[in-house]
């Protein structure tokens, strides 16, 4: 058994943090796209990501109001420890090395999303757009295209500051017009990044790779866009993100065949 531990500062009242972690509606606002069930001892929660064709069922083991939640799934355990000003997560399971690093990166993104949601959009429903494509590429190569200004110009941005470490500002002149100004909320080297997007009502843009089921020489390229509230030109933005991901897949394939 191996354990992933992630800590995240959260600038929100402790009761609002609790509600975001201990209710189906709260979890939908930052974690899974679909959540059903009740957060009560002995009950089951089903978390779903339909666009990824993924759903998991968790048994609720422990609920200590305002302080602690423990969930169980087969041989894996998830524990959330809540305190004033932050949250600590422990996820234990039989991870191989790739799963361990991917799980760590995924939870960093999720908890950064939780903190952002509570700071900017508390109580609002989340909408998520997923763009997903397979590509013959490596983690390191995909990460370079996510983060390096020169590589971003081949698919995402006309001009870019590049993606620095968590907390740093980011500025992109997008390939289709408009801009993305915000901050890097999560950045796991050779993995994934999460960016806030001021121009779209403080939405979030995640650039990620995931394992391709049944494939050893492919990764799934993922661009996911989480938004809350009213977004002008939402449908046009989703089309542009889909087009950007298609350009990224082509660029990575060309690099891989060069």
């Amino acid at each position: 058994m191996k354990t992933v531990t992630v800590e995240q500062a959260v600038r929100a009242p402790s009761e609002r943090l609790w509600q975001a972690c201990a209710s189906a509606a709260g979890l939908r606002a930052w974690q899974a796209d679909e959540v059903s069930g009740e957060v009560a001892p002995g009950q089951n929660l089903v978390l779903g990501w339909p666009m990824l064709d993924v759903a998991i069922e968790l048994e609720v083991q422990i609920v200590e109001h305002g302080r602690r939640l423990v969930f169980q799934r087969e041989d894996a355990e998830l524990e959330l420890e809540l305190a004033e000003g932050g949250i600590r997560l422990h996820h234990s399971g039989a991870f191989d090395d790739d799963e361990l690093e991917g799980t760590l990166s995924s939870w960093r993104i999720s908890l950064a999303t939780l903190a952002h949601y509570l700071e900017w959009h508390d109580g609002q429903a989340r909408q998520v757009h997923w763009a997903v494509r397979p590509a013959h590429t490596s983690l390191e190569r995909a990460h370079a295209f996510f983060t390096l200004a020169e590589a971003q110009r081949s698919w995402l941005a006309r001009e870019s500051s590049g993606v620095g470490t968590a907390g740093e500002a980011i500025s992109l002149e997008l390939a289709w017009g408009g801009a993305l100004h915000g901050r890097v909320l999560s950045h796991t080297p050779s993995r994934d990044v999460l960016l806030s997007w001021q121009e779209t009502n403080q939405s979030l843009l995640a650039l990620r790779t995931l394992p391709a089921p049944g494939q050893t020489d492919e990764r799934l390229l993922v661009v996911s866009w989480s938004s809350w509230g009213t977004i002008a030109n939402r449908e046009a933005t989703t089309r542009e993100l889909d087009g950007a991901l298609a350009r990224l897949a082509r660029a990575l394939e060309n690099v891989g065949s060069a």
Side-chain angles (χ1 to χ4, degrees):
M1 296 286 283
K2 299 178 181 178
T3 299
V4 166
T5 298
V6 180
E7 297 186 28
Q8 174 69 48
V10 181
R11 292 184 297 204
S14 56
E15 184 59 28
R16 295 307 304 157
L17 174 58
W18 174 255
Q19 289 300 320
C21 296
S23 68
L27 289 166
R28 278 194 298 271
W30 64 275
Q31 173 54 358
D33 297 347
E34 296 181 350
V35 183
S36 60
E38 183 181 358
V39 183
Q43 299 298 309
N44 290 332
L45 275 180
V46 178
L47 311 181
W49 296 264
M51 285 299 297
L52 298 177
D53 195 27
V54 172
I56 62 173
E57 185 172 351
L58 302 174
E59 182 181 350
V60 183
Q61 296 285 314
I62 297 172
V63 177
E64 297 176 4
H65 186 88
R67 295 182 56 249
R68 183 167 173 254
L69 293 161
V70 178
F71 306 93
Q72 190 82 30
R73 178 175 180 255
E74 297 175 353
D75 60 349
E77 182 177 276
L78 175 65
E79 179 182 16
L80 302 177
E81 296 178 320
L82 284 65
E84 190 69 37
I87 183 171
R88 180 185 295 112
L89 174 146
H90 308 282
H91 187 175
S92 300
F95 304 120
D96 62 28
D97 290 343
D98 184 54
E99 289 172 326
L100 186 71
E101 292 301 315
T103 299
L104 174 62
S105 183
S106 292
W107 279 121
R108 285 174 173 168
I109 286 176
S110 291
L111 295 190
T113 300
L114 166 63
H116 183 84
Y117 157 69
L118 287 171
E119 181 176 356
W120 291 97
H121 305 291
D122 189 11
Q124 295 185 310
R126 179 175 63 130
Q127 297 188 56
V128 187
H129 175 73
W130 291 89
V132 183
R133 292 179 73 98
H136 294 279
T137 190
S138 66
L139 288 165
E140 293 76 16
R141 187 180 299 145
H143 179 262
F145 275 76
F146 292 162
T147 58
L148 300 181
E150 182 178 354
Q152 286 180 336
R153 285 195 285 271
S154 69
W155 70 282
L156 182 63
R158 297 172 183 169
E159 296 295 335
S160 170
S161 63
V163 176
T165 60
E168 291 187 356
I170 183 169
S171 175
L172 303 178
E173 181 184 333
L174 296 168
W176 56 91
L180 185 158
H181 294 98
R183 294 205 170 270
V184 181
L185 300 187
S186 178
H187 184 173
T188 300
S190 297
R191 288 280 175 171
D192 313 314
V193 297
L194 179 69
L195 313 173
S196 65
W197 191 351
Q198 176 183 316
E199 286 80 4
T200 54
N201 191 27
Q202 289 292 348
S203 67
L204 297 179
L205 188 68
L207 310 178
R208 309 183 61 187
T209 58
L210 298 174
Q215 301 293 326
T216 58
D217 61 344
E218 279 189 349
R219 303 291 295 183
L220 295 180
L221 304 174
V222 177
V223 173
S224 65
W225 180 40
S226 293
S227 60
W228 299 260
T230 301
I231 305 292
N233 302 316
R234 182 190 299 276
E235 291 186 3
T237 301
T238 61
R239 290 194 297 270
E240 296 294 358
L241 291 172
D242 289 344
L245 184 63
R247 291 192 295 273
L248 173 60
R250 289 194 296 270
L252 286 168
E253 293 285 1
N254 288 338
V255 170
S257 60

